[in-house]
PDB file of all heavy atoms in Angstrom:
ATOM      1  N   TYR A  71      39.505  47.395 -36.976  1.00 97.00           N
ATOM      2  CA  TYR A  71      38.388  46.735 -36.300  1.00 97.00           C
ATOM      3  C   TYR A  71      37.186  47.607 -36.066  1.00 97.00           C
ATOM      4  O   TYR A  71      36.002  47.271 -36.243  1.00 97.00           O
ATOM      5  CB  TYR A  71      38.895  46.170 -34.938  1.00 97.00           C
ATOM      6  CG  TYR A  71      37.739  45.707 -34.090  1.00 97.00           C
ATOM      7  CD1 TYR A  71      37.305  44.319 -34.084  1.00 97.00           C
ATOM      8  CD2 TYR A  71      36.963  46.557 -33.174  1.00 97.00           C
ATOM      9  CE1 TYR A  71      36.235  43.848 -33.358  1.00 97.00           C
ATOM     10  CE2 TYR A  71      35.953  46.098 -32.456  1.00 97.00           C
ATOM     11  CZ  TYR A  71      35.601  44.754 -32.609  1.00 97.00           C
ATOM     12  OH  TYR A  71      34.455  44.322 -31.820  1.00 97.00           O
ATOM     13  N   ALA A  72      37.441  48.873 -35.786  1.00 97.00           N
ATOM     14  CA  ALA A  72      36.377  49.822 -35.497  1.00 97.00           C
ATOM     15  C   ALA A  72      35.482  50.069 -36.732  1.00 97.00           C
ATOM     16  O   ALA A  72      34.289  50.159 -36.612  1.00 97.00           O
ATOM     17  CB  ALA A  72      36.966  51.201 -34.925  1.00 97.00           C
ATOM     18  N   LEU A  74      35.097  48.047 -39.212  1.00 98.00           N
ATOM     19  CA  LEU A  74      34.401  46.792 -39.548  1.00 98.00           C
ATOM     20  C   LEU A  74      33.207  46.729 -38.515  1.00 98.00           C
ATOM     21  O   LEU A  74      32.067  46.378 -38.962  1.00 98.00           O
ATOM     22  CB  LEU A  74      35.348  45.682 -39.430  1.00 98.00           C
ATOM     23  CG  LEU A  74      34.718  44.223 -39.472  1.00 98.00           C
ATOM     24  CD1 LEU A  74      33.834  44.059 -40.749  1.00 98.00           C
ATOM     25  CD2 LEU A  74      35.826  43.148 -39.410  1.00 98.00           C
ATOM     26  N   ALA A  75      33.470  46.982 -37.265  1.00 98.00           N
ATOM     27  CA  ALA A  75      32.401  46.780 -36.240  1.00 98.00           C
ATOM     28  C   ALA A  75      31.226  47.753 -36.593  1.00 98.00           C
ATOM     29  O   ALA A  75      30.093  47.437 -36.433  1.00 98.00           O
ATOM     30  CB  ALA A  75      32.987  46.999 -34.798  1.00 98.00           C
ATOM     31  N   VAL A  78      29.291  46.295 -39.332  1.00 98.00           N
ATOM     32  CA  VAL A  78      28.445  45.143 -38.949  1.00 98.00           C
ATOM     33  C   VAL A  78      27.223  45.595 -38.181  1.00 98.00           C
ATOM     34  O   VAL A  78      26.176  44.998 -38.388  1.00 98.00           O
ATOM     35  CB  VAL A  78      29.384  44.209 -38.007  1.00 98.00           C
ATOM     36  CG1 VAL A  78      28.437  43.102 -37.312  1.00 98.00           C
ATOM     37  CG2 VAL A  78      30.460  43.516 -38.781  1.00 98.00           C
ATOM     38  N   HIS A  79      27.344  46.611 -37.388  1.00 98.00           N
ATOM     39  CA  HIS A  79      26.116  47.069 -36.722  1.00 98.00           C
ATOM     40  C   HIS A  79      25.090  47.668 -37.652  1.00 98.00           C
ATOM     41  O   HIS A  79      23.910  47.463 -37.531  1.00 98.00           O
ATOM     42  CB  HIS A  79      26.487  48.065 -35.617  1.00 98.00           C
ATOM     43  CG  HIS A  79      27.025  47.444 -34.375  1.00 98.00           C
ATOM     44  ND1 HIS A  79      28.350  47.341 -34.119  1.00 98.00           N
ATOM     45  CD2 HIS A  79      26.312  46.797 -33.354  1.00 98.00           C
ATOM     46  CE1 HIS A  79      28.479  46.594 -33.014  1.00 98.00           C
ATOM     47  NE2 HIS A  79      27.269  46.234 -32.494  1.00 98.00           N
ATOM     48  N   ILE A  99      21.246  37.547 -34.600  1.00 98.00           N
ATOM     49  CA  ILE A  99      21.905  38.794 -34.626  1.00 98.00           C
ATOM     50  C   ILE A  99      22.654  39.197 -33.335  1.00 98.00           C
ATOM     51  O   ILE A  99      23.890  39.563 -33.349  1.00 98.00           O
ATOM     52  CB  ILE A  99      20.935  39.950 -34.911  1.00 98.00           C
ATOM     53  CG1 ILE A  99      20.399  39.828 -36.385  1.00 98.00           C
ATOM     54  CG2 ILE A  99      21.485  41.378 -34.718  1.00 98.00           C
ATOM     55  CD1 ILE A  99      19.193  40.778 -36.714  1.00 98.00           C
ATOM     56  N   ASP A 100      21.983  38.785 -32.237  1.00 98.00           N
ATOM     57  CA  ASP A 100      22.592  39.043 -30.864  1.00 98.00           C
ATOM     58  C   ASP A 100      23.904  38.110 -30.770  1.00 98.00           C
ATOM     59  O   ASP A 100      24.879  38.528 -30.131  1.00 98.00           O
ATOM     60  CB  ASP A 100      21.651  38.689 -29.722  1.00 98.00           C
ATOM     61  CG  ASP A 100      20.593  39.819 -29.621  1.00 98.00           C
ATOM     62  OD1 ASP A 100      20.791  40.903 -30.283  1.00 98.00           O
ATOM     63  OD2 ASP A 100      19.554  39.624 -28.974  1.00 98.00           O
ATOM     64  N   ARG A 101      23.754  36.976 -31.281  1.00 98.00           N
ATOM     65  CA  ARG A 101      24.902  35.988 -31.129  1.00 98.00           C
ATOM     66  C   ARG A 101      26.136  36.576 -31.925  1.00 98.00           C
ATOM     67  O   ARG A 101      27.239  36.496 -31.415  1.00 98.00           O
ATOM     68  CB  ARG A 101      24.406  34.657 -31.626  1.00 98.00           C
ATOM     69  CG  ARG A 101      25.581  33.585 -31.543  1.00 98.00           C
ATOM     70  CD  ARG A 101      24.953  32.272 -31.725  1.00 98.00           C
ATOM     71  NE  ARG A 101      25.981  31.314 -32.108  1.00 98.00           N
ATOM     72  CZ  ARG A 101      25.925  29.964 -32.095  1.00 98.00           C
ATOM     73  NH1 ARG A 101      24.805  29.426 -31.635  1.00 98.00           N
ATOM     74  NH2 ARG A 101      26.923  29.210 -32.466  1.00 98.00           N
ATOM     75  N   VAL A 102      25.878  37.075 -33.062  1.00 98.00           N
ATOM     76  CA  VAL A 102      26.920  37.590 -33.900  1.00 98.00           C
ATOM     77  C   VAL A 102      27.509  38.797 -33.307  1.00 98.00           C
ATOM     78  O   VAL A 102      28.718  39.054 -33.313  1.00 98.00           O
ATOM     79  CB  VAL A 102      26.409  37.811 -35.373  1.00 98.00           C
ATOM     80  CG1 VAL A 102      27.453  38.612 -36.126  1.00 98.00           C
ATOM     81  CG2 VAL A 102      26.106  36.552 -36.035  1.00 98.00           C
ATOM     82  N   LYS A 103      26.686  39.694 -32.801  1.00 98.00           N
ATOM     83  CA  LYS A 103      27.150  40.923 -32.135  1.00 98.00           C
ATOM     84  C   LYS A 103      28.039  40.581 -30.887  1.00 98.00           C
ATOM     85  O   LYS A 103      29.072  41.180 -30.693  1.00 98.00           O
ATOM     86  CB  LYS A 103      25.957  41.729 -31.592  1.00 98.00           C
ATOM     87  CG  LYS A 103      25.304  42.552 -32.657  1.00 98.00           C
ATOM     88  CD  LYS A 103      24.324  43.480 -32.015  1.00 98.00           C
ATOM     89  CE  LYS A 103      23.486  44.330 -33.016  1.00 98.00           C
ATOM     90  NZ  LYS A 103      22.309  44.871 -32.419  1.00 98.00           N
ATOM     91  N   ALA A 104      27.672  39.560 -30.073  1.00 98.00           N
ATOM     92  CA  ALA A 104      28.418  39.119 -28.969  1.00 98.00           C
ATOM     93  C   ALA A 104      29.757  38.619 -29.362  1.00 98.00           C
ATOM     94  O   ALA A 104      30.785  38.907 -28.689  1.00 98.00           O
ATOM     95  CB  ALA A 104      27.686  38.059 -28.160  1.00 98.00           C
ATOM     96  N   LEU A 105      29.798  37.889 -30.480  1.00 98.00           N
ATOM     97  CA  LEU A 105      31.120  37.399 -31.023  1.00 98.00           C
ATOM     98  C   LEU A 105      31.996  38.528 -31.421  1.00 98.00           C
ATOM     99  O   LEU A 105      33.146  38.612 -31.081  1.00 98.00           O
ATOM    100  CB  LEU A 105      30.859  36.458 -32.126  1.00 98.00           C
ATOM    101  CG  LEU A 105      32.108  36.006 -32.893  1.00 98.00           C
ATOM    102  CD1 LEU A 105      32.964  35.038 -32.040  1.00 98.00           C
ATOM    103  CD2 LEU A 105      31.749  35.270 -34.234  1.00 98.00           C
ATOM    104  N   LEU A 106      31.380  39.479 -32.139  1.00 98.00           N
ATOM    105  CA  LEU A 106      32.122  40.686 -32.607  1.00 98.00           C
ATOM    106  C   LEU A 106      32.748  41.355 -31.441  1.00 98.00           C
ATOM    107  O   LEU A 106      33.940  41.707 -31.492  1.00 98.00           O
ATOM    108  CB  LEU A 106      31.163  41.615 -33.368  1.00 98.00           C
ATOM    109  CG  LEU A 106      31.738  42.837 -33.873  1.00 98.00           C
ATOM    110  CD1 LEU A 106      32.721  42.610 -35.039  1.00 98.00           C
ATOM    111  CD2 LEU A 106      30.653  43.849 -34.363  1.00 98.00           C
ATOM    112  N   ALA A 107      31.912  41.602 -30.434  1.00 98.00           N
ATOM    113  CA  ALA A 107      32.506  42.283 -29.241  1.00 98.00           C
ATOM    114  C   ALA A 107      33.554  41.625 -28.562  1.00 98.00           C
ATOM    115  O   ALA A 107      34.600  42.132 -28.158  1.00 98.00           O
ATOM    116  CB  ALA A 107      31.289  42.577 -28.218  1.00 98.00           C
ATOM    117  N   SER A 108      33.540  40.236 -28.559  1.00 98.00           N
ATOM    118  CA  SER A 108      34.531  39.434 -27.978  1.00 98.00           C
ATOM    119  C   SER A 108      35.916  39.418 -28.726  1.00 98.00           C
ATOM    120  O   SER A 108      36.942  39.071 -28.246  1.00 98.00           O
ATOM    121  CB  SER A 108      34.103  37.984 -27.691  1.00 98.00           C
ATOM    122  OG  SER A 108      34.160  37.353 -29.024  1.00 98.00           O
ATOM    123  N   LEU A 109      35.839  39.975 -29.995  1.00 98.00           N
ATOM    124  CA  LEU A 109      36.960  39.920 -30.922  1.00 98.00           C
ATOM    125  C   LEU A 109      37.686  41.281 -30.924  1.00 98.00           C
ATOM    126  O   LEU A 109      38.590  41.422 -31.875  1.00 98.00           O
ATOM    127  CB  LEU A 109      36.557  39.414 -32.245  1.00 98.00           C
ATOM    128  CG  LEU A 109      36.056  37.964 -32.379  1.00 98.00           C
ATOM    129  CD1 LEU A 109      35.568  37.654 -33.764  1.00 98.00           C
ATOM    130  CD2 LEU A 109      37.239  37.018 -32.038  1.00 98.00           C
ATOM    131  N   GLU A 110      37.297  42.154 -30.246  1.00 97.00           N
ATOM    132  CA  GLU A 110      37.814  43.543 -30.257  1.00 97.00           C
ATOM    133  C   GLU A 110      39.322  43.475 -30.036  1.00 97.00           C
ATOM    134  O   GLU A 110      39.840  42.709 -29.136  1.00 97.00           O
ATOM    135  CB  GLU A 110      37.225  44.433 -29.102  1.00 97.00           C
ATOM    136  CG  GLU A 110      37.716  45.813 -29.317  1.00 97.00           C
ATOM    137  CD  GLU A 110      36.867  46.858 -28.512  1.00 97.00           C
ATOM    138  OE1 GLU A 110      35.964  46.413 -27.795  1.00 97.00           O
ATOM    139  OE2 GLU A 110      37.250  48.026 -28.629  1.00 97.00           O
ATOM    140  N   GLY A 111      40.114  44.148 -30.883  1.00 93.00           N
ATOM    141  CA  GLY A 111      41.590  44.108 -30.857  1.00 93.00           C
ATOM    142  C   GLY A 111      42.124  43.108 -31.884  1.00 93.00           C
ATOM    143  O   GLY A 111      43.325  43.119 -32.145  1.00 93.00           O
ATOM    144  N   GLU A 112      41.275  42.169 -32.399  1.00 96.00           N
ATOM    145  CA  GLU A 112      41.795  41.257 -33.403  1.00 96.00           C
ATOM    146  C   GLU A 112      41.921  41.913 -34.726  1.00 96.00           C
ATOM    147  O   GLU A 112      41.260  42.942 -34.970  1.00 96.00           O
ATOM    148  CB  GLU A 112      40.891  40.050 -33.515  1.00 96.00           C
ATOM    149  CG  GLU A 112      40.709  39.254 -32.288  1.00 96.00           C
ATOM    150  CD  GLU A 112      41.862  38.355 -31.932  1.00 96.00           C
ATOM    151  OE1 GLU A 112      42.825  38.307 -32.791  1.00 96.00           O
ATOM    152  OE2 GLU A 112      41.934  37.825 -30.797  1.00 96.00           O
ATOM    153  N   SER A 113      42.697  41.322 -35.620  1.00 97.00           N
ATOM    154  CA  SER A 113      42.818  41.887 -36.983  1.00 97.00           C
ATOM    155  C   SER A 113      41.550  41.816 -37.756  1.00 97.00           C
ATOM    156  O   SER A 113      40.660  40.921 -37.514  1.00 97.00           O
ATOM    157  CB  SER A 113      43.919  41.187 -37.793  1.00 97.00           C
ATOM    158  OG  SER A 113      43.399  39.882 -38.139  1.00 97.00           O
ATOM    159  N   VAL A 114      41.366  42.641 -38.787  1.00 97.00           N
ATOM    160  CA  VAL A 114      40.160  42.689 -39.593  1.00 97.00           C
ATOM    161  C   VAL A 114      39.936  41.359 -40.151  1.00 97.00           C
ATOM    162  O   VAL A 114      38.899  40.778 -40.176  1.00 97.00           O
ATOM    163  CB  VAL A 114      40.256  43.857 -40.654  1.00 97.00           C
ATOM    164  CG1 VAL A 114      39.227  43.642 -41.762  1.00 97.00           C
ATOM    165  CG2 VAL A 114      40.102  45.115 -40.002  1.00 97.00           C
ATOM    166  N   THR A 116      40.936  38.436 -39.245  1.00 98.00           N
ATOM    167  CA  THR A 116      40.578  37.409 -38.209  1.00 98.00           C
ATOM    168  C   THR A 116      39.099  37.545 -37.915  1.00 98.00           C
ATOM    169  O   THR A 116      38.377  36.593 -37.837  1.00 98.00           O
ATOM    170  CB  THR A 116      41.364  37.565 -36.933  1.00 98.00           C
ATOM    171  OG1 THR A 116      42.774  37.446 -37.257  1.00 98.00           O
ATOM    172  CG2 THR A 116      40.992  36.564 -35.856  1.00 98.00           C
ATOM    173  N   VAL A 117      38.661  38.755 -37.733  1.00 98.00           N
ATOM    174  CA  VAL A 117      37.229  38.986 -37.419  1.00 98.00           C
ATOM    175  C   VAL A 117      36.336  38.557 -38.575  1.00 98.00           C
ATOM    176  O   VAL A 117      35.320  37.803 -38.371  1.00 98.00           O
ATOM    177  CB  VAL A 117      37.007  40.520 -37.019  1.00 98.00           C
ATOM    178  CG1 VAL A 117      35.483  40.724 -36.719  1.00 98.00           C
ATOM    179  CG2 VAL A 117      37.797  40.901 -35.871  1.00 98.00           C
ATOM    180  N   GLN A 118      36.738  38.857 -39.805  1.00 98.00           N
ATOM    181  CA  GLN A 118      35.877  38.471 -40.859  1.00 98.00           C
ATOM    182  C   GLN A 118      35.781  36.899 -40.969  1.00 98.00           C
ATOM    183  O   GLN A 118      34.750  36.387 -41.166  1.00 98.00           O
ATOM    184  CB  GLN A 118      36.562  38.948 -42.199  1.00 98.00           C
ATOM    185  CG  GLN A 118      36.363  40.491 -42.450  1.00 98.00           C
ATOM    186  CD  GLN A 118      37.162  41.026 -43.522  1.00 98.00           C
ATOM    187  OE1 GLN A 118      38.324  40.612 -43.749  1.00 98.00           O
ATOM    188  NE2 GLN A 118      36.659  42.028 -44.158  1.00 98.00           N
ATOM    189  N   GLU A 119      37.047  36.243 -40.802  1.00 98.00           N
ATOM    190  CA  GLU A 119      37.005  34.797 -40.801  1.00 98.00           C
ATOM    191  C   GLU A 119      36.074  34.208 -39.675  1.00 98.00           C
ATOM    192  O   GLU A 119      35.326  33.283 -39.968  1.00 98.00           O
ATOM    193  CB  GLU A 119      38.401  34.229 -40.695  1.00 98.00           C
ATOM    194  CG  GLU A 119      39.181  34.349 -41.991  1.00 98.00           C
ATOM    195  CD  GLU A 119      40.632  33.970 -41.807  1.00 98.00           C
ATOM    196  OE1 GLU A 119      41.103  33.697 -40.645  1.00 98.00           O
ATOM    197  OE2 GLU A 119      41.371  34.131 -42.764  1.00 98.00           O
ATOM    198  N   ARG A 120      36.234  34.813 -38.504  1.00 98.00           N
ATOM    199  CA  ARG A 120      35.344  34.276 -37.416  1.00 98.00           C
ATOM    200  C   ARG A 120      33.879  34.469 -37.669  1.00 98.00           C
ATOM    201  O   ARG A 120      33.035  33.630 -37.194  1.00 98.00           O
ATOM    202  CB  ARG A 120      35.799  34.889 -36.127  1.00 98.00           C
ATOM    203  CG  ARG A 120      37.192  34.505 -35.608  1.00 98.00           C
ATOM    204  CD  ARG A 120      37.264  33.062 -35.111  1.00 98.00           C
ATOM    205  NE  ARG A 120      36.336  32.789 -34.050  1.00 98.00           N
ATOM    206  CZ  ARG A 120      36.621  33.118 -32.747  1.00 98.00           C
ATOM    207  NH1 ARG A 120      37.780  33.583 -32.422  1.00 98.00           N
ATOM    208  NH2 ARG A 120      35.747  32.906 -31.794  1.00 98.00           N
ATOM    209  N   LEU A 121      33.544  35.564 -38.284  1.00 98.00           N
ATOM    210  CA  LEU A 121      32.046  35.843 -38.569  1.00 98.00           C
ATOM    211  C   LEU A 121      31.539  34.792 -39.585  1.00 98.00           C
ATOM    212  O   LEU A 121      30.441  34.349 -39.396  1.00 98.00           O
ATOM    213  CB  LEU A 121      31.833  37.227 -38.999  1.00 98.00           C
ATOM    214  CG  LEU A 121      32.041  38.413 -38.021  1.00 98.00           C
ATOM    215  CD1 LEU A 121      31.937  39.775 -38.641  1.00 98.00           C
ATOM    216  CD2 LEU A 121      31.118  38.228 -36.820  1.00 98.00           C
ATOM    217  N   GLN A 123      32.841  31.815 -39.958  1.00 98.00           N
ATOM    218  CA  GLN A 123      32.740  30.554 -39.351  1.00 98.00           C
ATOM    219  C   GLN A 123      31.519  30.429 -38.467  1.00 98.00           C
ATOM    220  O   GLN A 123      30.900  29.405 -38.365  1.00 98.00           O
ATOM    221  CB  GLN A 123      34.037  30.391 -38.462  1.00 98.00           C
ATOM    222  CG  GLN A 123      34.165  28.977 -37.814  1.00 98.00           C
ATOM    223  CD  GLN A 123      33.953  27.866 -38.858  1.00 98.00           C
ATOM    224  OE1 GLN A 123      34.579  27.802 -39.882  1.00 98.00           O
ATOM    225  NE2 GLN A 123      33.014  26.914 -38.549  1.00 98.00           N
ATOM    226  N   GLU A 124      31.157  31.535 -37.836  1.00 98.00           N
ATOM    227  CA  GLU A 124      29.959  31.596 -36.976  1.00 98.00           C
ATOM    228  C   GLU A 124      28.671  31.279 -37.738  1.00 98.00           C
ATOM    229  O   GLU A 124      27.872  30.468 -37.296  1.00 98.00           O
ATOM    230  CB  GLU A 124      29.845  33.035 -36.287  1.00 98.00           C
ATOM    231  CG  GLU A 124      28.837  32.983 -35.152  1.00 98.00           C
ATOM    232  CD  GLU A 124      29.207  32.161 -33.898  1.00 98.00           C
ATOM    233  OE1 GLU A 124      30.277  31.465 -33.906  1.00 98.00           O
ATOM    234  OE2 GLU A 124      28.456  32.291 -32.897  1.00 98.00           O
TER     235      GLU A 124
END
Side-chain angles (χ1 to χ4, degrees):
Y71 170 90
L74 172 56
V78 169
H79 281 99
I99 291 171
D100 287 348
R101 180 165 158 167
V102 170
K103 279 185 183 169
L105 173 68
L106 179 72
S108 76
L109 294 172
E110 188 164 1
E112 299 286 349
S113 73
V114 165
T116 301
V117 178
Q118 288 170 325
E119 282 171 2
R120 289 289 301 277
L121 291 176
Q123 187 51 50
E124 192 69 357

